[in-house]
Amino acid sequence: TTGASNDLEYVAGIAKQMVKEWGMSNQIGPLALESPNAAGPFMGRQLGVGKRQWGTKIMSLVDREVERLVNNAYVRAKSILSQNTELLH
């Protein structure tokens, strides 16, 4: 459904922020690979200002970390729901 796909997009977005903006990855470390304003040249930002290009190796690691975070969250949520099935009915 649309709701479920929106939830997945939201979770992936938070995981990307955790890794790329907030430095919440043991694999990558406390690096801000992207600033919160990295969306583009809006609100007074100029083209190319504040934009740093990272190599394919680090970005591949980012993708793996995001996937790991999303998968771990899924497993944890599924476990919590399974352990509390009686409360759901």
Side-chain angles (χ1 to χ4, degrees), residues 16-79:
K16 284 179 188 175
Q17 285 181 301
M18 289 171 66
V19 174
K20 294 174 85 173
E21 294 177 26
W22 305 331
M24 297 176 72
S25 165
N26 291 336
Q27 293 294 315
I28 295 172
L31 295 175
L33 302 175
E34 191 173 276
S35 70
N37 300 348
F42 300 103
M43 301 297 287
R45 285 194 50 172
Q46 295 182 7
L47 287 170
V49 174
K51 187 78 169 170
R52 181 168 179 173
Q53 298 296 322
W54 295 91
T56 56
K57 184 177 179 181
I58 192 82
M59 295 315 288
S60 180
L61 185 56
V62 165
D63 289 340
R64 286 194 304 272
E65 278 294 282
V66 168
E67 183 177 2
R68 183 186 66 80
L69 287 170
V70 170
N71 286 337
N72 286 350
Y74 170 79
V75 168
R76 184 167 184 232
K78 189 173 178 181
S79 173

Side-chain angles (χ1 to χ4, degrees), residues 4-17:
S5 87
N6 286 345
D7 290 347
L8 293 173
E9 287 178 23
Y10 186 71
V11 167
I14 290 174
K16 284 179 188 175
Q17 285 181 301

